[in-house]
Amino acid sequence: MYLYRTKYIMGRIVIIIILFSAGCRGVYAADSLSVQRRINANQSSAEKDFFSLVYTNPAMKFRQYTYTLNELRAGGEYRHEQQPFVIQEGNGRRMGLVDVNSFIRKGQSSLWGEARYVNGKKLGRNWNETSDYTLLYPYVMGDTVGGNLKSEQYYFAGGYARQTGRFTFGVDASYCANIEDRNADPRPKNLTGDLNVAVGVVTKLGASYVAGVSLRARKYKQTNELVFYNELGVPNIYHLTGMGTDYYRFRGNRGKTFYKGRAFGGSINLLPYEAGTTGFTASVAYDYFTFDKIISSLNELPMAEVGEHTVKAEAAWRNLSTVYQWGVKGEASFVKRTGTENLFGDAANNTYPLIASEKMYYNDVAQVGLSGFYEHISAGDVRYSILPAVKYRSIRTRYVYPKRQMDINHLTGEILLRASRPYGRYLLQGEVGALYTASVSPSLLLSGTSHTGESQQAMDEGLNAPVYSNYRYLSEDNALICVAVRCDYSPRTSYSLFLAVRYEHGWQQAGKMASDYVTASVGVAF
């Protein structure tokens, strides 16, 4: 009942937002510029993702773009990996989607929104029957069988910012619901809900800059149920605890779990007063996310709790003119995740008394990067861009007992070339990019046997197998190339019809783990 009610409600919300975005053209008249000029300006290298962290403050989004632009598209994506890069995420996916995205700027107000529906399959997932692995790791539920999963997602978001005198106020909210299941053993049925809300305020500093602060909160939940219909025997269900370990006491057929998470955070920001102008930006953001894993099959037993601190900082400068524009950006981030596992006494009346808690899992991720762009604008609004970047990332993962540790260090260089050119009623956009990641001094230690007394060989063939699989990918050099094109045709200056295609091919130095990714969509922009 809950599944169908969620589909009904979310489906209606998606339809309402799509109609609302289409109707905004009548309420807020589109800018006097043609849709081609607005697309070219809003998607230039100076605007697209360069100042990024500052826009987590919804009040800053008032200045994100100079021009109103709405897009509605439908399409699909396909991904295949010869061997899974992250085994818990599977080796590919096939998805279809419908998406509407809108940014409207009128006078002293800006309004934005997005609605998205995605339906398809996630392929070859193993050692994980829980949704949102990258959010809930390592405390997921898994088995040795796995398989493809049907996946359905409903997402909608929107916000509003208004300038009043020296101040600008903004609010932003989003909600995402996911449904995943499989109609063959093992049969997971996962329902997730993720709600995010942010508020912000900005004040003018002199004639050229604005400074602001923001606060945000998040609420997450997932019901994760795994059942078997085979009467001849079923594999063990593992409640995994990280790096080849599990909570052995609760192995078996206890396949009902529940996750509840919450988060809070905020940011401090500095930005030029108007969109598309020369200037400096700086932002510092902090978030704290925590969740509990509860085994519903054991009378709501609180098995583990995770706490994660995230700090991000960004500073950038861009110089814009009518002929050329360039920018440089430095960024850094640090994520510290800790997993606390609970210990229980003997059950009484199906209730396990909590007797102790211990921090067992640690994962630290640090990253620094330097990037830039140069864009040349010729007569007729023809644009050519080059975007280089270099990044360094360090991953340190620890498990206390049995002692396990993994160290990964990545040095990444990338370059992206973009071009955009109008041809009468057509606007052609394209990009070509390449990325190379070098793995520096990786190491992995899986020492001893588990507390269950299993031999090292048995563990290597069992719970340690996904650790070795993921380490193999992380510890080798890898490369990626991408090509993307988009063509807009404008029967009238107020709207355009477009076709967009993107292809990526990745491989590792050993040549045994290639991947292919293709996405294509058609749509209308106005």
Side-chain angles (χ1 to χ4, degrees):
M1 180 62 70
Y2 176 81
L3 175 64
Y4 292 107
R5 185 169 66 249
T6 301
K7 287 184 177 182
Y8 178 84
I9 294 173
M10 295 301 298
R12 296 303 180 270
I13 290 174
V14 170
I15 293 171
I16 289 170
I17 293 181
I18 291 174
L19 294 176
F20 169 76
S21 297
C24 284
R25 189 164 171 263
V27 178
Y28 293 96
D31 296 271
S32 58
L33 286 180
S34 69
V35 68
Q36 284 191 9
R37 294 288 300 276
R38 289 185 279 125
I39 292 172
N40 227 2
N42 284 12
Q43 295 191 0
S44 76
S45 298
E47 299 289 349
K48 187 177 181 181
D49 301 327
F50 188 69
F51 287 178
S52 53
L53 186 58
V54 67
Y55 294 119
T56 59
N57 182 340
M60 288 293 186
K61 288 186 178 181
F62 175 79
R63 295 166 178 82
Q64 186 167 12
Y65 299 113
T66 304
Y67 304 114
T68 292
L69 185 64
N70 309 289
E71 291 188 348
L72 172 64
R73 67 187 180 105
E77 64 174 353
Y78 170 79
R79 182 176 184 88
H80 173 71
E81 300 167 2
Q82 288 183 346
Q83 296 183 39
F85 292 168
V86 179
I87 196 169
Q88 293 89 344
E89 293 278 63
N91 62 0
R93 60 182 180 270
R94 296 193 300 265
M95 297 288 183
L97 63 90
V98 177
D99 179 85
V100 59
N101 203 307
S102 178
F103 183 89
I104 301 159
R105 183 162 181 183
K106 185 68 175 179
Q108 302 303 306
S109 299
S110 290
L111 182 69
W112 58 91
E114 182 179 4
R116 181 173 63 245
Y117 173 72
V118 184
N119 195 320
K121 282 190 175 182
K122 297 181 178 180
L123 309 175
R125 203 156 83 180
N126 203 353
W127 289 104
N128 174 34
E129 301 291 359
T130 303
S131 299
D132 297 332
Y133 174 77
T134 56
L135 182 68
L136 302 176
Y137 76 93
Y139 295 101
V140 298
M141 183 167 59
D143 56 66
T144 58
V145 180
N148 300 342
L149 277 176
K150 293 186 294 182
S151 178
E152 193 170 7
Q153 181 188 91
Y154 300 85
Y155 174 85
F156 69 94
Y160 176 76
R162 181 171 180 81
Q163 186 176 39
T164 304
R166 294 179 58 86
F167 293 93
T168 304
F169 301 90
V171 61
D172 185 84
S174 67
Y175 183 77
C176 184
N178 283 283
I179 305 162
E180 292 186 347
D181 59 19
R182 184 189 299 121
N183 57 11
D185 284 355
R187 302 169 189 254
K189 180 180 179 182
N190 303 338
L191 304 174
T192 72
D194 194 357
L195 174 66
N196 290 266
V197 178
V199 295
V201 61
V202 165
T203 184
K204 192 173 181 181
L205 293 180
S208 302
Y209 285 92
V210 290
V213 296
S214 70
L215 296 173
R216 51 184 172 268
R218 179 182 191 181
K219 185 174 179 61
Y220 175 87
K221 65 177 181 179
Q222 178 179 166
T223 57
N224 179 200
E225 181 177 355
L226 185 62
V227 297
F228 298 87
Y229 288 170
N230 189 346
E231 298 179 355
L232 301 179
V234 298
N236 273 328
I237 297 174
Y238 298 96
H239 294 277
L240 301 170
T241 54
M243 297 202 71
T245 63
D246 75 314
Y247 209 130
Y248 178 80
R249 185 178 183 182
F250 300 133
R251 279 186 191 178
N253 59 357
R254 299 174 176 92
K256 291 184 179 181
T257 61
F258 179 76
Y259 296 85
K260 58 179 182 180
R262 55 271 179 205
F264 65 86
S267 65
I268 302 174
N269 323 99
L270 179 72
L271 188 70
Y273 182 68
E274 282 296 340
T277 58
T278 295
F280 175 79
T281 182
S283 291
V284 177
Y286 168 78
D287 288 280
Y288 176 72
F289 174 67
T290 181
F291 71 84
D292 300 297
K293 175 177 178 176
I294 298 168
I295 304 179
S296 307
S297 305
L298 296 173
N299 198 20
E300 308 298 320
L301 180 140
M303 191 196 98
E305 179 183 8
V306 165
E308 181 178 271
H309 301 269
T310 302
V311 179
K312 296 181 179 179
E314 176 183 282
W317 169 268
R318 66 182 182 189
N319 189 298
L320 309 184
S321 73
T322 56
V323 178
Y324 68 88
Q325 43 200 27
W326 61 270
V328 61
K329 178 173 66 174
E331 54 190 322
S333 64
F334 180 73
V335 180
K336 184 177 183 60
R337 172 169 289 218
T338 303
T340 302
E341 299 171 17
N342 295 324
L343 303 177
F344 301 91
D346 294 333
N349 298 321
N350 201 32
T351 300
Y352 289 82
L354 176 63
I355 59 176
S357 297
E358 187 173 358
K359 292 182 178 179
M360 297 289 289
Y361 178 83
Y362 297 86
N363 191 56
D364 298 337
V365 182
Q367 180 170 298
V368 294
L370 182 66
S371 60
F373 79 92
Y374 176 84
E375 184 170 84
H376 183 79
I377 307 171
S378 304
D381 205 21
V382 178
R383 298 171 183 256
Y384 300 95
S385 306
I386 180 170
L387 298 92
V390 60
K391 298 178 182 179
Y392 178 80
R393 182 176 65 161
S394 171
I395 305 173
R396 296 176 58 85
T397 308
R398 301 286 185 273
Y399 197 82
V400 175
Y401 182 80
K403 184 179 180 181
R404 275 109 197 282
Q405 58 188 48
M406 180 175 68
D407 290 280
I408 300 293
N409 301 284
H410 284 160
L411 181 62
T412 299
E414 58 183 290
I415 189 167
L416 184 65
L417 304 177
R418 285 182 181 154
S420 176
R421 181 165 187 168
Y423 283 96
R425 294 180 181 271
Y426 293 90
L427 172 64
L428 301 180
Q429 299 178 80
E431 65 179 48
V432 177
L435 175 150
Y436 188 86
T437 297
S439 180
V440 183
S441 303
S443 65
L444 175 66
L445 172 65
L446 300 180
S447 63
T449 59
S450 75
H451 58 276
T452 67
E454 292 174 294
S455 68
Q456 186 67 51
Q457 180 180 356
M459 293 174 64
D460 288 348
E461 295 172 352
L463 293 178
N464 284 347
V467 183
Y468 287 123
S469 176
N470 293 343
Y471 176 74
R472 183 171 59 248
Y473 167 68
L474 292 170
S475 62
E476 292 185 7
D477 294 1
N478 61 81
L480 176 76
I481 57 172
C482 67
V483 179
V485 294
R486 170 170 164 161
C487 178
D488 284 75
Y489 170 69
S490 302
R492 297 184 180 180
T493 59
S494 58
Y495 73 94
S496 71
L497 307 175
F498 67 83
L499 168 66
V501 179
R502 182 179 184 86
Y503 171 71
E504 297 179 1
H505 178 73
W507 67 94
Q508 290 197 270
Q509 191 177 47
K512 299 179 180 180
M513 296 176 68
S515 67
D516 293 286
Y517 173 78
V518 181
T519 180
S521 62
V522 295
V524 56
F526 55 91

